[in-house]
Amino acid sequence: MRSDEVKKGIARTPHRALLKAVGVTDEDMGKPFIGIANAWNDIVPGHKHLRDLAEKVRQGIRGAGGVPFEFGVIGICDGVAMGHEGMQYSLPSREIIADSIEVMAEAHRFDGIVMLGTCDKIVPGMLMAALRMNLPCIVLTGGPMLPGRLDGRDITLITSFEGVGSLQAGKITPEELKRIEDACCPGCGSCQGLYTANTMACMTEALGLSLPGCATAHAVSAGKERLAHDSGRRIVELVNADIKPLDIVSRASFENAIRLDMTIGGSTNTVLHLTAIAAEGGVRLGLDDFDRISKETPHLCHMGPGGPYSMKDLDEAGGIPAVLSQIKGLADVPTVGGSSILAIAKAAKVLNREVIRSPDNPVHRTGGISILYGNLAPEGAVVKSGAVTEKMMKFTGKAKVFDSEDDVTKAILGKQIGPGDVVVVRYCGPRGGPGMPEMLGPTSAIAGMGLSESVALITDGRFSGGTRGPCIGHVSPEAVDGGPIGLLRDGDVVEIDIPGKRVDVKLSQAEIEARKKTFVPKRKQLRGYLARYAKNVTSASTGSLIR
């Protein structure tokens, strides 16, 4: 066992003495040492219950003959960080998470590790660490929050974001918005729709690194507690059998995950995260892989924010195993649970055909995420096409250009944006932001004011998984690197053709070249971690990796 490096032999007497100080017994010295990377904190709703789940994991590890050692992992709540400078730290936290888990596991020579997290950047960071270290590993995602209930209907966190715009538009009263605020988040768990946190939990299950059913088992369910116990037991079995992540995850696994992503219509952030995770495992994924798989994969689950269904509905319909059963072209790859993906899919049943449709009756004939190119995005851009209405699949409008999220939010809430506008927000990319801040505030305000079918938004930043409408992000190259988005001016005509996979500005090449000659990118004065991040991060088109 790898942990023998810290507990076997005369030279390790001091090491054993330190381990005994934390309660390790002589009998324990002969057992596998299992790390539990726990992202518990009490500011993030998706993490507040993780202490209880960690105890179930510990019980499973002990029962299977292992010794558990729990340590902390940071975690940012994107909802709380949204709309101010704090959001600049969200995507960069992914790299800190991966690095910190590597540091703890390697320094203490754990034989295996259970990674326990829930939210947007936490799970991707954990997966990056898993493939980088290639130690026996299992991921336990913390589970979704139950929907809120108000006046006999389900509501979610996004209801509150969009309620801000509705209030400004005079559609609801301040009292009604307060009622939404009080009811939309009834307890712990990741936000209720198919936003980034829940999408990444689904991707983890599709990659084979969590047990079947884990992604949709709710935070407050007894089923989640049983999965926690079983994950603790199973990690010891993986250590004893020397089964590591790269024995399970391959390029075929990533293609399975992308197929699932397209089928359920997941968050656009998965393009960033799957690309980065794959790179840690030596697998190269590009935007063309997402585009190719999108073309051949129908969108079957009309999930929120674009559709009416929550994660609760998806869980009750059979969860990810049931969705997998409807996907053609899945590769038969192993999982941490011991069964192959195809065996899991074959054993599953679809329990609600409204929530999980058949390939013969799709929501859309192609996948829920589309990759766009054009003279505005020579290296690509991403849109959650599954959350765009048919009316807005093709759109032409005049640009209104902003250099910050604050400015555009003020303009939207100040009713300076109207039908036919294409809102452009730049200097929000990996380097220009820095950190690609999400823009749920502006997009929700547009939706809340009733403009989601008459206004488009384009940015070199990114969007929350809770965004709906024609919102095109990850535009590459970004403005600070001299990308065409930095050349746009108010009044330029922008053409969006999602079925045709294009986003263009109606300017001649000669005009574009003339603007380039006088263009000077705006650069922010940075310090601390963000300065180091901005200096070393790669383009969104390659996953915003640190190199």
Short mmCIF file of all heavy atoms in Angstrom, two decimals, residues 372 375-377 380-383 395-404 408 421-428 439 442-443 446 455-463 469-477 484-486 488 492-498 502-505:
data_model
loop_
_atom_site.label_atom_id
_atom_site.label_comp_id
_atom_site.label_asym_id
_atom_site.label_seq_id
_atom_site.Cartn_x
_atom_site.Cartn_y
_atom_site.Cartn_z
N LEU A 372 -20.75 27.71 -31.97
CA LEU A 372 -20.89 28.67 -33.06
C LEU A 372 -19.51 29.19 -33.47
O LEU A 372 -18.63 29.37 -32.64
CB LEU A 372 -21.77 29.84 -32.65
CG LEU A 372 -23.12 29.54 -31.98
CD1 LEU A 372 -23.87 30.85 -31.72
CD2 LEU A 372 -23.96 28.60 -32.81
N ASN A 375 -17.15 35.43 -37.94
CA ASN A 375 -16.12 36.47 -37.82
C ASN A 375 -16.12 37.16 -36.46
O ASN A 375 -15.19 37.90 -36.15
CB ASN A 375 -16.22 37.48 -38.97
CG ASN A 375 -17.48 38.32 -38.93
OD1 ASN A 375 -18.31 38.20 -38.02
ND2 ASN A 375 -17.66 39.17 -39.95
N LEU A 376 -17.13 36.89 -35.63
CA LEU A 376 -17.11 37.37 -34.25
C LEU A 376 -16.46 36.37 -33.30
O LEU A 376 -16.07 36.73 -32.20
CB LEU A 376 -18.53 37.67 -33.76
CG LEU A 376 -18.96 39.12 -33.70
CD1 LEU A 376 -20.36 39.25 -33.13
CD2 LEU A 376 -17.98 39.95 -32.90
N ALA A 377 -16.39 35.12 -33.73
CA ALA A 377 -15.85 34.06 -32.86
C ALA A 377 -15.03 33.09 -33.71
O ALA A 377 -15.42 31.94 -33.90
CB ALA A 377 -16.97 33.33 -32.14
N GLY A 380 -14.45 30.04 -31.85
CA GLY A 380 -15.63 29.39 -31.30
C GLY A 380 -16.32 30.17 -30.20
O GLY A 380 -15.75 31.05 -29.56
N ALA A 381 -17.59 29.84 -30.01
CA ALA A 381 -18.43 30.35 -28.94
C ALA A 381 -19.45 29.26 -28.61
O ALA A 381 -19.62 28.30 -29.38
CB ALA A 381 -19.13 31.64 -29.35
N VAL A 382 -20.12 29.40 -27.47
CA VAL A 382 -21.01 28.35 -26.98
C VAL A 382 -22.36 28.95 -26.61
O VAL A 382 -22.43 30.04 -26.03
CB VAL A 382 -20.41 27.65 -25.73
CG1 VAL A 382 -21.30 26.49 -25.28
CG2 VAL A 382 -19.00 27.14 -26.02
N VAL A 383 -23.44 28.23 -26.94
CA VAL A 383 -24.79 28.65 -26.54
C VAL A 383 -25.57 27.43 -26.07
O VAL A 383 -25.41 26.33 -26.61
CB VAL A 383 -25.53 29.36 -27.70
CG1 VAL A 383 -25.73 28.42 -28.90
CG2 VAL A 383 -26.85 29.93 -27.25
N PHE A 395 -31.48 35.35 -35.38
CA PHE A 395 -31.77 36.69 -34.88
C PHE A 395 -30.75 37.67 -35.44
O PHE A 395 -29.56 37.38 -35.50
CB PHE A 395 -31.72 36.70 -33.34
CG PHE A 395 -32.07 38.01 -32.72
CD1 PHE A 395 -33.39 38.43 -32.65
CD2 PHE A 395 -31.09 38.83 -32.19
CE1 PHE A 395 -33.73 39.64 -32.06
CE2 PHE A 395 -31.42 40.05 -31.59
CZ PHE A 395 -32.75 40.45 -31.53
N THR A 396 -31.24 38.82 -35.87
CA THR A 396 -30.38 39.90 -36.32
C THR A 396 -30.75 41.16 -35.55
O THR A 396 -31.93 41.49 -35.42
CB THR A 396 -30.55 40.15 -37.83
OG1 THR A 396 -30.20 38.96 -38.55
CG2 THR A 396 -29.65 41.30 -38.29
N GLY A 397 -29.75 41.84 -35.03
CA GLY A 397 -30.02 43.06 -34.27
C GLY A 397 -28.80 43.96 -34.23
O GLY A 397 -27.71 43.61 -34.69
N LYS A 398 -29.00 45.16 -33.66
CA LYS A 398 -27.93 46.13 -33.56
C LYS A 398 -27.24 46.03 -32.20
O LYS A 398 -27.90 45.91 -31.17
CB LYS A 398 -28.48 47.54 -33.77
CG LYS A 398 -28.93 47.79 -35.20
CD LYS A 398 -29.32 49.24 -35.42
CE LYS A 398 -29.68 49.49 -36.87
NZ LYS A 398 -30.04 50.91 -37.12
N ALA A 399 -25.92 46.10 -32.23
CA ALA A 399 -25.12 45.93 -31.02
C ALA A 399 -25.25 47.13 -30.09
O ALA A 399 -25.26 48.28 -30.53
CB ALA A 399 -23.66 45.72 -31.40
N LYS A 400 -25.36 46.82 -28.80
CA LYS A 400 -25.15 47.80 -27.74
C LYS A 400 -24.01 47.25 -26.89
O LYS A 400 -24.15 46.19 -26.27
CB LYS A 400 -26.42 48.02 -26.93
CG LYS A 400 -27.48 48.81 -27.69
CD LYS A 400 -28.59 49.29 -26.79
CE LYS A 400 -29.56 50.19 -27.56
NZ LYS A 400 -30.69 50.64 -26.70
N VAL A 401 -22.90 47.96 -26.87
CA VAL A 401 -21.64 47.40 -26.39
C VAL A 401 -21.31 47.94 -24.99
O VAL A 401 -21.39 49.16 -24.74
CB VAL A 401 -20.50 47.74 -27.37
CG1 VAL A 401 -19.19 47.11 -26.89
CG2 VAL A 401 -20.85 47.25 -28.77
N PHE A 402 -20.90 47.00 -24.11
CA PHE A 402 -20.53 47.34 -22.73
C PHE A 402 -19.22 46.64 -22.39
O PHE A 402 -18.95 45.55 -22.88
CB PHE A 402 -21.63 46.91 -21.76
CG PHE A 402 -22.98 47.52 -22.05
CD1 PHE A 402 -23.85 46.91 -22.94
CD2 PHE A 402 -23.35 48.71 -21.46
CE1 PHE A 402 -25.09 47.48 -23.23
CE2 PHE A 402 -24.58 49.29 -21.73
CZ PHE A 402 -25.46 48.67 -22.63
N ASP A 403 -18.45 47.30 -21.54
CA ASP A 403 -17.15 46.75 -21.15
C ASP A 403 -17.15 46.17 -19.74
O ASP A 403 -16.09 45.85 -19.20
CB ASP A 403 -16.06 47.81 -21.26
CG ASP A 403 -15.76 48.17 -22.71
OD1 ASP A 403 -16.14 47.39 -23.61
OD2 ASP A 403 -15.15 49.24 -22.94
N SER A 404 -18.32 46.05 -19.13
CA SER A 404 -18.41 45.42 -17.81
C SER A 404 -19.82 44.94 -17.56
O SER A 404 -20.79 45.46 -18.16
CB SER A 404 -18.00 46.39 -16.70
OG SER A 404 -19.03 47.34 -16.45
N VAL A 408 -23.81 46.85 -18.01
CA VAL A 408 -24.93 46.28 -18.75
C VAL A 408 -26.12 46.03 -17.84
O VAL A 408 -27.27 46.22 -18.25
CB VAL A 408 -24.51 44.99 -19.50
CG1 VAL A 408 -24.31 43.81 -18.56
CG2 VAL A 408 -25.56 44.62 -20.54
N ASP A 421 -32.24 44.55 -29.86
CA ASP A 421 -30.86 44.81 -29.45
C ASP A 421 -30.08 43.52 -29.29
O ASP A 421 -30.61 42.48 -28.88
CB ASP A 421 -30.82 45.57 -28.12
CG ASP A 421 -31.27 47.01 -28.25
OD1 ASP A 421 -31.21 47.56 -29.37
OD2 ASP A 421 -31.69 47.60 -27.23
N VAL A 422 -28.79 43.60 -29.61
CA VAL A 422 -27.83 42.55 -29.29
C VAL A 422 -26.88 43.14 -28.25
O VAL A 422 -26.04 44.00 -28.57
CB VAL A 422 -27.06 42.06 -30.52
CG1 VAL A 422 -26.01 41.02 -30.11
CG2 VAL A 422 -28.01 41.46 -31.55
N VAL A 423 -27.02 42.72 -27.01
CA VAL A 423 -26.19 43.22 -25.93
C VAL A 423 -24.83 42.52 -25.99
O VAL A 423 -24.76 41.28 -25.99
CB VAL A 423 -26.87 42.98 -24.57
CG1 VAL A 423 -25.97 43.44 -23.44
CG2 VAL A 423 -28.22 43.67 -24.52
N VAL A 424 -23.77 43.29 -26.06
CA VAL A 424 -22.41 42.75 -26.13
C VAL A 424 -21.67 43.15 -24.85
O VAL A 424 -21.57 44.33 -24.53
CB VAL A 424 -21.67 43.28 -27.37
CG1 VAL A 424 -20.23 42.74 -27.40
CG2 VAL A 424 -22.41 42.90 -28.65
N VAL A 425 -21.17 42.16 -24.12
CA VAL A 425 -20.41 42.42 -22.89
C VAL A 425 -19.03 41.80 -23.06
O VAL A 425 -18.90 40.59 -23.21
CB VAL A 425 -21.10 41.81 -21.65
CG1 VAL A 425 -20.47 42.39 -20.39
CG2 VAL A 425 -22.59 42.07 -21.67
N ARG A 426 -18.02 42.65 -23.05
CA ARG A 426 -16.66 42.16 -23.31
C ARG A 426 -15.73 42.50 -22.15
O ARG A 426 -16.14 43.10 -21.17
CB ARG A 426 -16.15 42.75 -24.62
CG ARG A 426 -16.12 44.27 -24.62
CD ARG A 426 -16.02 44.80 -26.03
NE ARG A 426 -15.95 46.26 -26.03
CZ ARG A 426 -15.96 47.00 -27.13
NH1 ARG A 426 -16.07 46.42 -28.32
NH2 ARG A 426 -15.88 48.31 -27.05
N TYR A 427 -14.47 42.08 -22.27
CA TYR A 427 -13.48 42.16 -21.19
C TYR A 427 -13.95 41.36 -19.98
O TYR A 427 -13.73 41.74 -18.84
CB TYR A 427 -13.19 43.62 -20.82
CG TYR A 427 -12.56 44.37 -21.97
CD1 TYR A 427 -13.29 45.28 -22.72
CD2 TYR A 427 -11.23 44.13 -22.32
CE1 TYR A 427 -12.73 45.94 -23.80
CE2 TYR A 427 -10.66 44.79 -23.40
CZ TYR A 427 -11.41 45.68 -24.14
OH TYR A 427 -10.83 46.32 -25.21
N CYS A 428 -14.57 40.21 -20.28
CA CYS A 428 -15.06 39.31 -19.23
C CYS A 428 -14.53 37.90 -19.43
O CYS A 428 -15.06 36.94 -18.87
CB CYS A 428 -16.59 39.28 -19.22
SG CYS A 428 -17.34 40.85 -18.77
N MET A 439 -22.81 35.62 -15.82
CA MET A 439 -23.71 36.76 -15.97
C MET A 439 -25.16 36.36 -15.81
O MET A 439 -25.98 36.59 -16.68
CB MET A 439 -23.50 37.42 -17.32
CG MET A 439 -22.11 38.00 -17.44
SD MET A 439 -21.84 38.83 -18.96
CE MET A 439 -20.07 38.91 -18.93
N PRO A 442 -27.61 39.85 -15.50
CA PRO A 442 -28.12 40.46 -16.72
C PRO A 442 -29.08 39.56 -17.51
O PRO A 442 -30.12 40.03 -17.99
CB PRO A 442 -26.85 40.75 -17.52
CG PRO A 442 -25.78 40.85 -16.52
CD PRO A 442 -26.15 39.87 -15.43
N THR A 443 -28.73 38.28 -17.65
CA THR A 443 -29.59 37.42 -18.45
C THR A 443 -30.94 37.20 -17.78
O THR A 443 -31.98 37.15 -18.44
CB THR A 443 -28.92 36.05 -18.72
OG1 THR A 443 -28.64 35.40 -17.48
CG2 THR A 443 -27.63 36.23 -19.49
N ILE A 446 -33.04 40.32 -18.26
CA ILE A 446 -33.63 40.33 -19.60
C ILE A 446 -34.87 39.44 -19.65
O ILE A 446 -35.92 39.83 -20.16
CB ILE A 446 -32.58 39.88 -20.65
CG1 ILE A 446 -31.55 40.99 -20.86
CG2 ILE A 446 -33.25 39.50 -21.97
CD1 ILE A 446 -30.38 40.57 -21.73
N VAL A 455 -34.27 40.00 -27.46
CA VAL A 455 -32.94 40.54 -27.19
C VAL A 455 -31.97 39.37 -27.07
O VAL A 455 -32.28 38.35 -26.46
CB VAL A 455 -32.93 41.37 -25.89
CG1 VAL A 455 -31.50 41.70 -25.47
CG2 VAL A 455 -33.73 42.65 -26.06
N ALA A 456 -30.78 39.51 -27.67
CA ALA A 456 -29.72 38.51 -27.54
C ALA A 456 -28.57 39.10 -26.73
O ALA A 456 -28.45 40.33 -26.61
CB ALA A 456 -29.23 38.07 -28.91
N LEU A 457 -27.72 38.23 -26.18
CA LEU A 457 -26.56 38.68 -25.41
C LEU A 457 -25.34 37.87 -25.83
O LEU A 457 -25.42 36.64 -25.94
CB LEU A 457 -26.83 38.53 -23.91
CG LEU A 457 -25.89 39.32 -22.98
CD1 LEU A 457 -26.60 39.66 -21.67
CD2 LEU A 457 -24.62 38.53 -22.66
N ILE A 458 -24.25 38.58 -26.08
CA ILE A 458 -23.01 37.95 -26.52
C ILE A 458 -21.88 38.42 -25.62
O ILE A 458 -21.78 39.61 -25.32
CB ILE A 458 -22.70 38.31 -27.99
CG1 ILE A 458 -23.79 37.78 -28.93
CG2 ILE A 458 -21.34 37.77 -28.41
CD1 ILE A 458 -23.61 38.20 -30.37
N THR A 459 -21.02 37.50 -25.19
CA THR A 459 -19.92 37.87 -24.29
C THR A 459 -18.72 36.94 -24.46
O THR A 459 -18.86 35.80 -24.89
CB THR A 459 -20.40 37.83 -22.82
OG1 THR A 459 -19.33 38.24 -21.97
CG2 THR A 459 -20.83 36.43 -22.41
N ASP A 460 -17.54 37.49 -24.11
CA ASP A 460 -16.36 36.62 -24.02
C ASP A 460 -16.25 36.04 -22.62
O ASP A 460 -15.32 35.29 -22.32
CB ASP A 460 -15.08 37.35 -24.42
CG ASP A 460 -14.86 38.67 -23.69
OD1 ASP A 460 -15.63 38.99 -22.75
OD2 ASP A 460 -13.92 39.42 -24.06
N GLY A 461 -17.20 36.37 -21.75
CA GLY A 461 -17.33 35.71 -20.46
C GLY A 461 -18.20 34.47 -20.59
O GLY A 461 -18.29 33.87 -21.66
N ARG A 462 -18.87 34.11 -19.51
CA ARG A 462 -19.68 32.89 -19.55
C ARG A 462 -20.99 33.12 -18.81
O ARG A 462 -21.21 34.17 -18.20
CB ARG A 462 -18.91 31.72 -18.94
CG ARG A 462 -18.54 31.91 -17.50
CD ARG A 462 -17.50 30.89 -17.02
NE ARG A 462 -17.16 31.17 -15.64
CZ ARG A 462 -17.78 30.63 -14.59
NH1 ARG A 462 -18.74 29.74 -14.78
NH2 ARG A 462 -17.45 30.95 -13.36
N PHE A 463 -21.84 32.12 -18.90
CA PHE A 463 -23.17 32.23 -18.30
C PHE A 463 -23.37 31.15 -17.25
O PHE A 463 -22.81 30.06 -17.33
CB PHE A 463 -24.25 32.09 -19.38
CG PHE A 463 -24.21 33.18 -20.39
CD1 PHE A 463 -23.85 32.92 -21.71
CD2 PHE A 463 -24.52 34.48 -20.05
CE1 PHE A 463 -23.80 33.93 -22.65
CE2 PHE A 463 -24.48 35.50 -20.98
CZ PHE A 463 -24.11 35.22 -22.28
N GLY A 469 -32.44 31.59 -23.05
CA GLY A 469 -32.50 32.57 -24.12
C GLY A 469 -31.25 32.55 -24.98
O GLY A 469 -30.31 31.80 -24.72
N PRO A 470 -31.21 33.40 -26.03
CA PRO A 470 -30.08 33.41 -26.97
C PRO A 470 -28.88 34.13 -26.37
O PRO A 470 -28.58 35.27 -26.71
CB PRO A 470 -30.65 34.15 -28.19
CG PRO A 470 -31.69 35.06 -27.62
CD PRO A 470 -32.27 34.33 -26.43
N CYS A 471 -28.20 33.47 -25.46
CA CYS A 471 -27.06 34.03 -24.74
C CYS A 471 -25.81 33.26 -25.15
O CYS A 471 -25.66 32.08 -24.83
CB CYS A 471 -27.29 33.95 -23.23
SG CYS A 471 -28.74 34.89 -22.68
N ILE A 472 -24.95 33.93 -25.88
CA ILE A 472 -23.78 33.29 -26.49
C ILE A 472 -22.54 33.70 -25.71
O ILE A 472 -22.22 34.88 -25.60
CB ILE A 472 -23.65 33.71 -27.97
CG1 ILE A 472 -24.89 33.23 -28.75
CG2 ILE A 472 -22.38 33.15 -28.58
CD1 ILE A 472 -25.04 33.88 -30.10
N GLY A 473 -21.84 32.72 -25.14
CA GLY A 473 -20.67 32.99 -24.32
C GLY A 473 -19.42 32.32 -24.82
O GLY A 473 -19.41 31.66 -25.87
N HIS A 474 -18.33 32.51 -24.07
CA HIS A 474 -17.03 31.91 -24.37
C HIS A 474 -16.49 32.39 -25.72
O HIS A 474 -15.71 31.68 -26.38
CB HIS A 474 -17.10 30.37 -24.40
CG HIS A 474 -17.70 29.74 -23.20
ND1 HIS A 474 -17.53 28.39 -22.92
CD2 HIS A 474 -18.50 30.20 -22.21
CE1 HIS A 474 -18.19 28.08 -21.82
NE2 HIS A 474 -18.78 29.18 -21.37
N VAL A 475 -16.92 33.57 -26.19
CA VAL A 475 -16.47 34.06 -27.50
C VAL A 475 -14.94 34.16 -27.49
O VAL A 475 -14.36 34.83 -26.64
CB VAL A 475 -17.11 35.42 -27.81
CG1 VAL A 475 -16.47 36.05 -29.04
CG2 VAL A 475 -18.62 35.26 -28.03
N SER A 476 -14.32 33.48 -28.45
CA SER A 476 -12.86 33.41 -28.50
C SER A 476 -12.35 33.77 -29.89
O SER A 476 -12.96 33.38 -30.88
CB SER A 476 -12.40 31.99 -28.14
OG SER A 476 -12.81 31.63 -26.84
N PRO A 477 -11.23 34.52 -29.97
CA PRO A 477 -10.43 35.07 -28.88
C PRO A 477 -11.20 36.15 -28.12
O PRO A 477 -12.07 36.81 -28.67
CB PRO A 477 -9.21 35.66 -29.60
CG PRO A 477 -9.21 35.08 -30.96
CD PRO A 477 -10.63 34.80 -31.28
N PRO A 484 -12.15 39.78 -32.17
CA PRO A 484 -13.08 40.68 -32.88
C PRO A 484 -14.16 41.29 -31.99
O PRO A 484 -14.66 42.37 -32.29
CB PRO A 484 -13.70 39.76 -33.95
CG PRO A 484 -12.68 38.70 -34.18
CD PRO A 484 -12.02 38.48 -32.86
N ILE A 485 -14.54 40.61 -30.89
CA ILE A 485 -15.56 41.17 -30.00
C ILE A 485 -15.10 42.52 -29.45
O ILE A 485 -15.92 43.40 -29.15
CB ILE A 485 -15.91 40.18 -28.87
CG1 ILE A 485 -17.17 40.65 -28.13
CG2 ILE A 485 -14.74 39.97 -27.92
CD1 ILE A 485 -17.71 39.64 -27.14
N GLY A 486 -13.79 42.71 -29.33
CA GLY A 486 -13.26 43.98 -28.84
C GLY A 486 -13.37 45.11 -29.85
O GLY A 486 -13.23 46.27 -29.49
N LEU A 488 -16.11 45.68 -31.76
CA LEU A 488 -17.50 46.07 -32.01
C LEU A 488 -17.80 47.47 -31.49
O LEU A 488 -17.24 47.92 -30.48
CB LEU A 488 -18.45 45.07 -31.34
CG LEU A 488 -18.57 43.69 -31.99
CD1 LEU A 488 -19.60 42.86 -31.24
CD2 LEU A 488 -18.96 43.79 -33.45
N ASP A 492 -23.39 48.36 -34.72
CA ASP A 492 -22.99 47.29 -35.65
C ASP A 492 -24.09 46.23 -35.71
O ASP A 492 -24.68 45.88 -34.68
CB ASP A 492 -21.68 46.64 -35.19
CG ASP A 492 -20.46 47.52 -35.42
OD1 ASP A 492 -20.56 48.48 -36.21
OD2 ASP A 492 -19.41 47.26 -34.79
N VAL A 493 -24.33 45.70 -36.88
CA VAL A 493 -25.38 44.69 -37.05
C VAL A 493 -24.78 43.30 -36.83
O VAL A 493 -23.80 42.91 -37.48
CB VAL A 493 -26.01 44.79 -38.45
CG1 VAL A 493 -27.04 43.66 -38.65
CG2 VAL A 493 -26.68 46.14 -38.64
N VAL A 494 -25.38 42.57 -35.91
CA VAL A 494 -24.91 41.23 -35.55
C VAL A 494 -25.94 40.20 -35.99
O VAL A 494 -27.15 40.38 -35.76
CB VAL A 494 -24.67 41.11 -34.03
CG1 VAL A 494 -24.28 39.70 -33.64
CG2 VAL A 494 -23.60 42.10 -33.58
N GLU A 495 -25.48 39.14 -36.60
CA GLU A 495 -26.36 38.06 -37.08
C GLU A 495 -26.05 36.79 -36.30
O GLU A 495 -24.89 36.35 -36.24
CB GLU A 495 -26.15 37.81 -38.58
CG GLU A 495 -26.57 38.98 -39.46
CD GLU A 495 -26.38 38.68 -40.93
OE1 GLU A 495 -25.43 37.94 -41.27
OE2 GLU A 495 -27.17 39.20 -41.74
N ILE A 496 -27.08 36.21 -35.74
CA ILE A 496 -26.97 34.94 -35.00
C ILE A 496 -27.78 33.89 -35.72
O ILE A 496 -28.96 34.10 -36.02
CB ILE A 496 -27.50 35.11 -33.56
CG1 ILE A 496 -26.66 36.15 -32.79
CG2 ILE A 496 -27.49 33.77 -32.81
CD1 ILE A 496 -27.30 36.61 -31.50
N ASP A 497 -27.15 32.77 -36.02
CA ASP A 497 -27.82 31.65 -36.70
C ASP A 497 -27.43 30.38 -35.96
O ASP A 497 -26.43 29.74 -36.29
CB ASP A 497 -27.41 31.60 -38.17
CG ASP A 497 -28.10 30.47 -38.93
OD1 ASP A 497 -28.88 29.69 -38.32
OD2 ASP A 497 -27.86 30.35 -40.15
N ILE A 498 -28.21 30.02 -34.93
CA ILE A 498 -27.85 28.86 -34.11
C ILE A 498 -27.94 27.55 -34.90
O ILE A 498 -27.01 26.75 -34.85
CB ILE A 498 -28.72 28.83 -32.83
CG1 ILE A 498 -28.36 30.04 -31.95
CG2 ILE A 498 -28.49 27.53 -32.04
CD1 ILE A 498 -29.23 30.21 -30.72
N ARG A 502 -23.51 29.82 -36.58
CA ARG A 502 -22.78 31.03 -36.93
C ARG A 502 -23.12 32.20 -36.01
O ARG A 502 -24.24 32.33 -35.53
CB ARG A 502 -23.13 31.48 -38.37
CG ARG A 502 -22.81 30.49 -39.47
CD ARG A 502 -21.34 30.42 -39.76
NE ARG A 502 -20.74 31.72 -40.11
CZ ARG A 502 -19.46 31.87 -40.43
NH1 ARG A 502 -18.64 30.82 -40.46
NH2 ARG A 502 -18.97 33.06 -40.73
N VAL A 503 -22.12 33.05 -35.77
CA VAL A 503 -22.33 34.35 -35.13
C VAL A 503 -21.37 35.33 -35.81
O VAL A 503 -20.15 35.18 -35.75
CB VAL A 503 -22.14 34.30 -33.60
CG1 VAL A 503 -20.77 33.75 -33.21
CG2 VAL A 503 -22.38 35.67 -32.99
N ASP A 504 -21.95 36.33 -36.50
CA ASP A 504 -21.16 37.24 -37.33
C ASP A 504 -21.59 38.67 -37.13
O ASP A 504 -22.74 38.96 -36.78
CB ASP A 504 -21.35 36.89 -38.82
CG ASP A 504 -20.82 35.52 -39.18
OD1 ASP A 504 -19.59 35.39 -39.31
OD2 ASP A 504 -21.63 34.58 -39.32
N VAL A 505 -20.66 39.59 -37.39
CA VAL A 505 -20.98 41.00 -37.48
C VAL A 505 -20.91 41.40 -38.95
O VAL A 505 -20.00 40.99 -39.68
CB VAL A 505 -20.01 41.86 -36.63
CG1 VAL A 505 -18.56 41.66 -37.04
CG2 VAL A 505 -20.40 43.33 -36.70
#
